[in-house]
Amino acid sequence: MAKYMVTGSTGNFGGLALYYLSKKVAKSDIIGLARSEDKAKKLRDQGFDVRIGDYTNYESLVNAFRGVDRLLFVSSTTSGEISRQIQHENVVDAAKEAGVKFIGYTSLIKADTSQSPLATDHVFTENLIKESGLNYAILRNSWYLENEKNIIDAALNIGKFVYSAGEGKVAWALRREYAEAAANALSSDEDYDQIFELAGDSATYADLVAALANASDGKFEILSLEPADHKRFLINNDVPEGFADYLVELHQGMKNSMLDSDSNDLKELLGRDLIPLSDAVAEIL
Ligand SMILES: NC(=O)c1ccc[n+]([C@@H]2O[C@H](COP(=O)([O-])OP(=O)(O)OC[C@H]3O[C@@H](n4cnc5c(N)ncnc54)[C@H](OP(=O)(O)O)[C@@H]3O)[C@@H](O)[C@H]2O)c1
């Protein structure tokens, strides 16, 4: 029987991927990767085997990956003293050294052409994986709907739904939908060697407003602002300037379809339709 490992399994995406994987294959064939014994405990209590490894420590990864056939590599959140690119290189090289046969990697939608500052590390990692000689599925996730929680909370708490992405479209889906698709790819016996553009149904912020109005009793003003006014609003509401700049830039990218796609890959990997936006918004409220 194949052995499966999910990295980042103590996080949101990896935890969901473990859960969906356990619906497809025996729990005894699933291993989570955690950075510490402390964090591993919760997963062990759920009946998962857990090994300890850190993307910044190559040897820990080689040891953790031994005997694993199919690895779901959840991209690192952090670029600290050791850059995200080095961390990702460690994971791919260690997988190869340990004899892993297949890597599923969580990348970013349209990574190769994206203007997003996040894309560089993903393209770097995709290339490493393609050159590694291992079988692969590049899982290019579009935007998590959960990323909009701050805008939604502001609408419900201070009565203002604020954005500057204009009529730009975003292919939002729930994190759990991407995670289930990843688990499906991992548990398949396909070699794939394929890039998946995993996208929800295209929607604008006006559509998100309508979904929120549908899913909540909240009354809020809708402010579709110019970038400078969006930044001012964020700073006036205690968002640190660097993060405000990032968010405003993100919205300008969204205006230019940076996170949009008409790909059906997510539906195809899930084998069903996606959760409609108003139901998905209700779920994250
Ligand atoms: N497409 C999108 O909209 C979107 C949005 C957010 C994030 N992302 C990407 O998707 C990934 C998963 O998202 P998430 O929501 O699950 O994030 P999360 O909840 O923060 O989980 C990140 C996981 O990565 C682990 N990790 C971080 N650095 C590590 C290292 N050096 N070595 C080993 N493990 C490490 C964390 O371990 P600890 O528990 O020990 O911290 C955690 O398990 C993120 O890392 C990010 O790259 C995509």
Side-chain angles (χ1 to χ4, degrees):
M1 292 303 280
K3 286 276 179 199
Y4 306 86
M5 176 177 271
V6 176
T7 75
S9 60
T10 53
N12 291 303
F13 186 97
L16 286 163
L18 269 191
Y19 167 78
Y20 287 112
L21 195 55
S22 70
K23 306 251 166 226
K24 308 284 276 184
V25 302
K27 236 181 189 180
S28 53
D29 292 325
I30 305 175
I31 308 163
L33 184 79
R35 278 201 274 191
S36 69
E37 289 293 345
D38 197 34
K39 292 204 166 184
K41 185 175 179 314
K42 203 170 139 207
L43 294 173
R44 290 203 176 110
D45 289 346
Q46 291 167 28
F48 291 104
D49 187 6
V50 185
R51 294 185 189 164
I52 307 300
D54 192 308
Y55 298 164
T56 63
N57 180 335
Y58 180 75
E59 283 308 320
S60 75
L61 296 173
V62 176
N63 290 330
F65 294 165
R66 286 204 195 286
V68 170
D69 299 293
R70 290 175 79 90
L71 177 72
L72 177 60
F73 169 18
V74 175
S75 48
S76 177
T77 32
T78 48
S79 198
E81 246 169 65
I82 299 182
S83 75
R84 203 171 180 226
Q85 291 193 4
I86 303 267
Q87 294 180 42
H88 285 192
E89 195 164 15
N90 284 340
V91 175
V92 177
D93 288 351
K96 198 170 172 184
E97 185 175 336
V100 170
K101 298 183 185 72
F102 171 94
I103 296 188
Y105 170 65
T106 60
S107 182
L108 178 70
I109 195 85
K110 302 189 291 194
D112 52 341
T113 55
S114 180
Q115 307 284 305
S116 167
L118 301 170
T120 313
D121 292 347
H122 286 302
V123 173
F124 172 86
T125 311
E126 288 187 3
N127 287 336
L128 286 178
I129 291 170
K130 285 188 231 162
E131 287 158 13
S132 70
L134 305 188
N135 293 124
Y136 63 85
I138 307 284
L139 304 160
R140 288 183 174 169
N141 293 333
S142 184
W143 219 224
Y144 300 169
L145 183 63
E146 287 84 346
N147 297 340
E148 305 307 326
K149 194 73 173 61
N150 287 341
I151 292 182
I152 289 173
D153 286 347
L156 299 180
N157 296 331
I158 59 173
K160 291 181 194 317
F161 187 108
V162 178
Y163 62 102
S164 59
E167 294 303 305
K169 291 192 168 173
V170 181
W172 286 293
L174 286 168
R175 190 197 272 114
R176 72 173 170 90
E177 294 179 297
Y178 300 115
E180 184 178 349
N184 287 352
L186 199 71
S187 59
S188 151
D189 52 13
E190 297 277 346
D191 291 341
Y192 288 123
D193 294 334
Q194 199 176 329
I195 294 174
F196 294 89
E197 299 281 358
L198 301 174
D201 295 322
S202 294
T204 62
Y205 272 95
D207 297 325
L208 187 58
V209 164
L212 180 60
N214 210 16
S216 75
D217 302 328
K219 297 259 174 294
F220 48 86
E221 201 183 340
I222 301 148
L223 298 171
S224 173
L225 302 180
E226 291 302 315
D229 296 328
H230 188 190
K231 179 174 173 182
R232 201 166 305 118
F233 169 84
L234 292 168
I235 287 175
N236 288 342
N237 285 282
D238 301 327
V239 175
E241 183 164 7
F243 193 51
D245 282 332
Y246 164 77
L247 291 173
V248 173
E249 195 187 326
L250 174 69
H251 276 232
Q252 303 331 294
M254 288 167 159
K255 205 182 233 172
N256 295 322
S257 308
M258 182 175 84
L259 296 171
D260 190 28
S261 165
D262 59 5
S263 167
N264 280 323
D265 288 355
L266 182 54
K267 289 174 198 158
E268 282 170 17
L269 262 186
L270 287 173
R272 59 171 160 76
D273 277 341
L274 301 172
I275 296 163
L277 191 58
S278 54
D279 293 348
V281 169
E283 183 171 319
I284 65 167
L285 280 182

